[in-house]
Amino acid sequence: MSQIPLATPLAGIRVLEFSHTVMGPTAGLVFAELGADVIKVEPAPNGDHTRGLGGFGAGFFAAFNRNKRSLAVDLKTPEGVGLVRRLIARCDVVVENNRPGVLERLGLAAAELRAANPRLVWCAISGFGQDGPYRDKPAYDMIVQALAGGMSLTGEPGGAPVRAGIPIGDIAAGLYAAIAILAALNRRNATGQGETIDISMLDCQAAMLTYQAAYFLHAGQVPARQGSGHDSIPIYRSFTGGDGKDFVVCAITETNWQALCRVLDRPALAEDSRFVTNRERYQNRTELWALLEQAFKARPAAAWVALLEQESIPVAVVNTLDQVVADPQIQHRHMVTGLAAPDGRQAQVMGNPIALAGTPAPAPRFPPRLGENTAEVLRDVLGLKPGEIDALVRKGVVKVG
């Protein structure tokens, strides 16, 4: 059995994860990387469908399922459901991201299982929540990015809407779920009572509209696509250097603006009536951008970054992924993590961003093979004997990896 060191932040918390793809696995990953015992329940005999992704997708499963244990069970069998019900009685948390009603139809109803285990925290993550007119509508990250308005803000002005390059809908829902579960566990520590949590990906994306929504709710003006800039800060956007490489400049303050004019050797800009204050710069931003874009063609992007940094103007190159993983700050913070399995399999993934000085996270573990931990979970958590486990394997109720 994989032993979690007692020093880890969530040692002693057992999570049963009925999830796939991104949303639920993201929530489970947060708990796994903080030291909880996360048991991923996968359908036997084939497991999470992301195990079968080829090409670039080969690392997909590793990205979301390291540090977990795999229990492969056929929930279409009464014996499989019975095993899982017994496991839930011994768990602190259940995370699931199935469509509403799927687990209930299999005989795993949150209300019934929480009644039997009042300390249980049950978190259901779905595209649109457990109620409402969209309850049964299929959801993918891009569907929710579109419905929640984020895509309408992304892309060049006058151009087509663009989805975010990372699955922010899925990941945000998983992170909100982890926050909610931690809050429920804290409450349970005080009251002894668990909780039923309903996380909607659409709700999470709507919440992330924050100030954009506030602008509309206050003024009634629908924000347009933002391009590489900001809809209220004139010099908060990307530019292209003379070598064709991109960088971003965030000259927000008057001090930043004056320094930018010095770096560009354009003192007249600082005195130009069109650009004297932030208000004028915003009102005349199109003209200002054209002047800046022309000026920035004089040097390579890296040269501008160095000059602007000398004047304490917030600036950064637009890194591609190969540059990100080689970035000295990313490397210093150990944000690229190597995983190795005892049988020689290896993978690299992005690391755990939560750094706690007094309670170190457990060492990263290679994601399990399908059913790799089935026998140990049934033995150590449920107390099944080897003969009982063998019988379940022969009947196809569980799969041992």
Side-chain angles (χ1 to χ4, degrees):
M1 176 179 176
S2 300
Q3 297 293 329
I4 303 297
L6 290 178
T8 59
L10 293 180
I13 296 295
R14 181 177 292 139
V15 178
L16 206 60
E17 181 194 303
F18 298 89
S19 63
H20 51 87
T21 315
V22 178
M23 283 193 296
T26 294
L29 179 62
V30 171
F31 279 81
E33 294 211 308
L34 290 174
D37 178 17
V38 179
I39 301 170
K40 183 179 179 71
V41 179
E42 300 188 67
N46 297 318
D48 187 319
H49 74 275
T50 63
R51 286 183 178 275
L53 294 176
F56 287 131
F60 195 109
F61 188 82
F64 294 100
N65 295 287
R66 59 190 182 273
N67 285 24
K68 300 177 184 179
R69 298 199 281 173
S70 172
L71 169 70
V73 57
D74 186 354
L75 291 178
K76 295 179 181 179
T77 65
E79 297 97 326
V81 173
L83 285 174
V84 167
R85 289 175 66 92
R86 291 170 61 188
L87 277 172
I88 290 172
R90 293 163 173 79
C91 286
D92 301 282
V93 178
V94 167
V95 176
E96 62 107 346
N97 71 323
N98 300 280
R99 284 200 203 178
V102 167
L103 289 186
E104 189 171 5
R105 288 192 293 273
L106 291 172
L108 300 170
E112 179 187 350
L113 292 163
R114 284 204 57 241
N117 178 9
R119 292 177 57 81
L120 180 67
V121 174
W122 183 291
C123 182
I125 316 171
S126 61
F128 303 103
Q130 302 299 304
D131 51 27
Y134 293 176
R135 175 183 186 271
D136 297 315
K137 184 181 177 72
Y140 291 92
D141 177 84
M142 188 160 65
I143 296 293
V144 175
Q145 285 195 38
L147 285 174
M151 279 185 66
S152 76
L153 304 172
T154 308
E156 292 301 321
V162 177
R163 74 171 181 90
I166 58 176
I168 56 173
D170 282 324
I171 292 173
L175 295 178
Y176 272 113
I179 293 167
I181 294 166
L182 289 169
L185 288 172
N186 186 63
R187 176 180 176 273
R188 188 189 74 172
N189 289 340
T191 66
Q193 292 296 310
E195 185 59 273
T196 303
I197 301 168
D198 175 7
I199 297 291
S200 155
M201 182 161 50
L202 181 63
D203 291 353
C204 296
Q205 282 282 273
M208 291 173 68
L209 293 173
T210 57
Y211 71 87
Q212 297 283 10
Y215 287 170
F216 169 73
L217 294 169
H218 176 73
Q221 182 175 346
V222 177
R225 280 185 264 290
Q226 306 297 295
S228 60
H230 194 285
D231 60 359
S232 57
I233 305 173
I235 310 177
Y236 191 97
R237 67 190 300 269
S238 70
F239 296 94
T240 303
D243 57 352
K245 296 183 178 179
D246 298 318
F247 60 104
V248 295
V249 180
C250 302
I252 295 175
T253 68
E254 288 301 319
T255 300
N256 291 157
W257 165 243
Q258 296 292 332
L260 178 59
C261 293
R262 289 196 302 272
V263 170
L264 293 174
D265 195 21
R266 301 287 181 91
L269 281 179
E271 300 173 2
D272 191 313
S273 60
R274 296 171 297 173
F275 312 130
V276 172
T277 69
N278 191 71
R279 179 184 293 275
E280 279 79 32
R281 290 192 291 276
Y282 179 74
Q283 290 173 343
N284 299 290
R285 60 192 180 279
T286 302
E287 299 166 66
L288 177 58
W289 291 342
L291 290 169
L292 295 178
E293 286 166 357
Q294 183 61 39
F296 282 132
K297 290 179 180 178
R299 299 174 187 269
W304 287 120
V305 169
L307 289 169
L308 293 168
E309 284 182 336
Q310 289 175 11
E311 290 282 352
S312 299
I313 299 170
V315 61
V317 295
V318 178
N319 276 338
T320 53
L321 266 290
D322 57 325
Q323 294 168 322
V324 173
V325 298
D327 187 277
Q329 184 68 17
I330 292 290
Q331 289 287 327
H332 176 80
R333 301 282 294 182
H334 307 294
M335 279 305 299
V336 177
T337 298
L339 306 174
D343 61 7
R345 290 172 298 156
Q346 295 185 350
Q348 283 194 310
V349 295
M350 299 310 293
N352 179 7
I354 301 173
L356 303 175
T359 48
R365 303 195 312 275
F366 199 88
R369 297 186 307 274
L370 175 62
E372 179 176 333
N373 313 106
T374 297
E376 71 181 34
V377 169
L378 297 180
R379 181 191 69 223
D380 298 339
V381 181
L382 296 185
L384 269 61
K385 305 298 184 187
E388 295 174 296
I389 297 171
D390 290 342
L392 291 169
V393 173
R394 286 195 300 272
K395 293 174 68 175
V397 175
V398 300
K399 177 183 175 72
V400 175

